[in-house]
């Protein structure tokens, strides 16, 4: 099954601030000559490659590094990037307990907005790896439909976050078989094919200090400096005027969009419709693996199919 992205390729190129056909062709040729030990598919489409090229501002060497890290991390983090099916026993509880959305409007600077918050605040309902999986599925859905963009802003609402949630993240990180927290930040900082512009965290509480103690070791300075914290009683009028207008935000944050649960349900409908794409993308990665690794990945994939 071919990996087809929805966005219009010619329109995307015309809107990009930097594009050189000769450089792009050299990037295509490079992917076809890579050894299988790099896990990079040789049948990447122009639309797939353009996401990396744009994210790296047309820098070919940076694009190559980003591509290699992207496929290495996806291969080595199956708990986050494989079996992306909303109806699975793994994902369904988090679909109900969390909220995600690609907001329909953009920031003042024309950046895409990815939103996330808790729906149910009981720590027992929070599962770190499925939450990460849904977040990256949401990002992939935005890339699939909108293509290369000048930037992304992530919006995280901390309302309802408790010490119990941090304990569950800590336990996830301590699992001998996985280092999911470290891989999460590696992917976001080194491999995700988007231009990250800022991360705004709303409704911060004193527990924020404990959260930062947990995650700060995995963030480089440039990434950490992108994070902007907003206390629950903060006056956001300047934020509305300079960063994101009210028209681009849900009512919980002073905006005029539909409520966050409505936005979440629409996002989940989109992710459900994209399941054939998620499956095709996983198969493309599996087919790029060396023979022995490919056989094991196929076996794991079939087991998930049996469960589903």
């Amino acid at each position: 099954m071919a990996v087809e992205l929805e966005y219009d390729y010619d329109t995307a190129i015309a809107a990009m601030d930097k594009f050189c056909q000769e450089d792009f062709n050299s990037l295509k040729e490079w992917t076809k000559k890579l050894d299988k030990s790099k896990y990079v598919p040789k049948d990447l489409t122009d639309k797939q490659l353009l996401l990396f090229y744009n994210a790296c501002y047309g820098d070919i060497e940076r694009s190559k590094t980003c591509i290699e890290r992207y496929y290495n991390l996806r291969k080595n983090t199956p708990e986050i990037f494989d079996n992306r099916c909303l109806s699975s026993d793994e994902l369904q509880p988090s679909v109900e307990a969390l909220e995600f959305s690609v907001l329909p409007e953009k920031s003042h600077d024309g950046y895409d907005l990815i939103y996330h918050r808790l729906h149910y605040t009981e720590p027992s309902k929070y599962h770190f790896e499925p939450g990460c999986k849904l977040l990256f599925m949401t990002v992939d859905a935005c890339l699939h439909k909108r293509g290369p963009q000048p930037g992304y802003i992530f919006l995280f609402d901390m309302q309802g976050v408790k010490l119990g949630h941090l304990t569950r993240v800590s336990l996830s990180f301590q699992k001998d078989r996985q280092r999911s927290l470290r891989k999460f930040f590696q992917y976001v900082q080194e491999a995700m094919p988007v231009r990250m512009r800022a991360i705004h965290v709303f409704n911060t509480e004193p527990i924020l200090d404990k959260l930062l103690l947990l995650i700060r070791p995995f963030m480089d300075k440039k990434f950490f400096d992108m994070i902007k914290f907003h206390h629950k009683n903060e006056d956001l009028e300047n934020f509305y005027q300079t960063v994101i207008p009210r028209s681009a935000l849900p009512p919980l944050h002073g905006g005029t969009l539909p409520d966050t649960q409505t936005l979440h349900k629409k996002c989940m409908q989109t992710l459900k419709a994209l399941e054939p794409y998620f499956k095709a993308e996983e198969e493309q990665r599996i087919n790029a693996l060396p023979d022995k690794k490919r056989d094991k990945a196929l076996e794991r994939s079939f087991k998930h199919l049996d469960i589903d």
Side-chain angles (χ1 to χ4, degrees), residues 9-10 13 16 18-34 42 44-50 52-54 58-61 63-64 67:
Y9 180 77
D10 292 332
I13 288 180
M16 287 169 59
K18 184 173 183 180
F19 181 80
C20 172
Q21 188 65 57
E22 184 178 352
D23 286 347
F24 189 70
N25 290 342
S26 72
L27 185 63
K28 290 170 59 176
E29 289 303 313
W30 170 81
T31 62
K32 295 175 181 178
K33 296 176 181 178
L34 278 178
K42 296 184 183 299
L44 293 176
T45 66
D46 285 0
K47 287 185 179 181
Q48 285 179 289
L49 283 173
L50 194 64
F52 295 100
Y53 179 86
N54 175 74
D59 186 312
I60 296 302
E61 292 308 313
S63 298
K64 292 177 181 178
I67 290 170

Side-chain angles (χ1 to χ4, degrees), residues 135-198:
L135 175 62
F136 292 139
M137 288 172 70
T138 302
V139 174
D140 282 4
C142 190
L143 291 169
H144 181 278
K145 291 182 173 294
R146 298 182 181 179
Q149 294 294 318
Y152 273 66
I153 295 177
F154 280 25
L155 307 173
F156 294 127
D157 183 1
M158 284 191 66
Q159 185 173 8
V161 175
K162 307 170 184 176
L163 182 60
H165 292 99
L166 304 192
T167 301
R168 293 182 69 80
V169 173
S170 298
L171 289 174
S172 171
F173 173 67
Q174 293 300 328
K175 290 178 182 178
D176 291 337
R177 65 181 181 87
Q178 301 295 349
R179 295 292 183 181
S180 297
L181 189 59
R182 182 185 301 276
K183 290 177 182 178
F184 172 86
F185 282 105
Q186 284 181 328
Y187 182 79
V188 171
Q189 294 175 107
E190 303 173 12
M192 192 166 63
V194 304
R195 296 182 180 183
M196 182 70 76
R197 300 293 189 172

Side-chain angles (χ1 to χ4, degrees), residues 20-292:
C20 172
Q21 188 65 57
E22 184 178 352
D23 286 347
F24 189 70
N25 290 342
S26 72
L27 185 63
K28 290 170 59 176
E29 289 303 313
W30 170 81
T31 62
K32 295 175 181 178
K33 296 176 181 178
L34 278 178
D35 184 88
K36 276 198 168 186
S37 64
K38 298 295 186 180
Y39 314 132
V40 177
K42 296 184 183 299
D43 60 342
L44 293 176
T45 66
D46 285 0
K47 287 185 179 181
Q48 285 179 289
L49 283 173
L50 194 64
L51 298 176
F52 295 100
Y53 179 86
N54 175 74
C56 297
Y57 300 87
D59 186 312
I60 296 302
E61 292 308 313
R62 283 179 60 190
S63 298
K64 292 177 181 178
T65 299
C66 185
I67 290 170
E68 288 187 354
R69 291 178 178 171
Y70 176 94
Y71 284 103
N72 184 279
L73 282 165
R74 289 206 167 198
K75 183 266 175 188
N76 288 307
T77 321
E79 70 275 16
I80 292 178
F81 295 109
D82 290 357
N83 191 34
R84 296 190 286 176
C85 176
L86 290 190
S87 60
S88 67
D89 292 341
E90 174 205 12
L91 276 186
Q92 191 57 43
S94 293
V95 169
E96 297 175 358
L98 307 176
E99 292 181 350
F100 296 90
S101 180
V102 177
L103 297 183
E105 305 295 327
K106 299 196 176 192
S107 75
H108 282 295
D109 291 323
Y111 302 151
D112 283 317
L113 306 171
I114 303 292
Y115 181 82
H116 171 47
R117 73 185 295 270
L118 299 176
H119 181 58
Y120 296 125
T121 60
E122 297 88 341
S124 63
K125 294 183 178 296
Y126 181 74
H127 303 279
F128 180 67
E129 286 89 353
C132 293
K133 183 179 290 191
L134 286 171
L135 175 62
F136 292 139
M137 288 172 70
T138 302
V139 174
D140 282 4
C142 190
L143 291 169
H144 181 278
K145 291 182 173 294
R146 298 182 181 179
Q149 294 294 318
Y152 273 66
I153 295 177
F154 280 25
L155 307 173
F156 294 127
D157 183 1
M158 284 191 66
Q159 185 173 8
V161 175
K162 307 170 184 176
L163 182 60
H165 292 99
L166 304 192
T167 301
R168 293 182 69 80
V169 173
S170 298
L171 289 174
S172 171
F173 173 67
Q174 293 300 328
K175 290 178 182 178
D176 291 337
R177 65 181 181 87
Q178 301 295 349
R179 295 292 183 181
S180 297
L181 189 59
R182 182 185 301 276
K183 290 177 182 178
F184 172 86
F185 282 105
Q186 284 181 328
Y187 182 79
V188 171
Q189 294 175 107
E190 303 173 12
M192 192 166 63
V194 304
R195 296 182 180 183
M196 182 70 76
R197 300 293 189 172
I199 300 168
H200 288 272
V201 183
F202 298 107
N203 293 314
T204 59
E205 299 279 2
I207 197 173
L208 176 64
D209 292 337
K210 293 182 175 63
L211 174 61
L212 290 178
L213 188 64
L214 177 65
I215 65 176
R216 184 64 181 89
F218 308 109
M219 295 185 281
D220 61 34
K221 184 180 185 304
K222 181 180 178 181
F223 183 81
F224 183 76
D225 289 343
M226 291 184 187
I227 306 176
K228 313 300 179 185
F229 301 102
H230 305 280
H231 190 270
K232 62 181 180 180
N233 296 321
E234 179 181 333
D235 182 354
L236 293 174
E237 198 56 45
N238 184 63
F239 176 81
Y240 300 140
Q241 293 179 9
T242 61
V243 184
I244 301 176
R246 288 179 181 270
S247 61
L249 292 166
L252 274 177
H253 305 288
T256 59
L257 290 179
D259 64 86
T260 59
Q261 184 62 195
T262 299
L263 293 167
H264 170 72
K265 289 179 178 178
K266 183 176 180 180
C267 180
M268 293 303 105
Q269 290 172 356
T270 298
L271 298 188
K272 182 66 177 176
L274 286 177
E275 284 182 3
Y277 163 73
F278 292 135
K279 185 60 181 175
E281 190 274 338
E282 182 178 342
E283 290 176 352
Q284 184 186 49
R285 287 187 280 114
I286 290 175
N287 291 333
L289 299 176
D291 293 343
K292 291 184 179 180

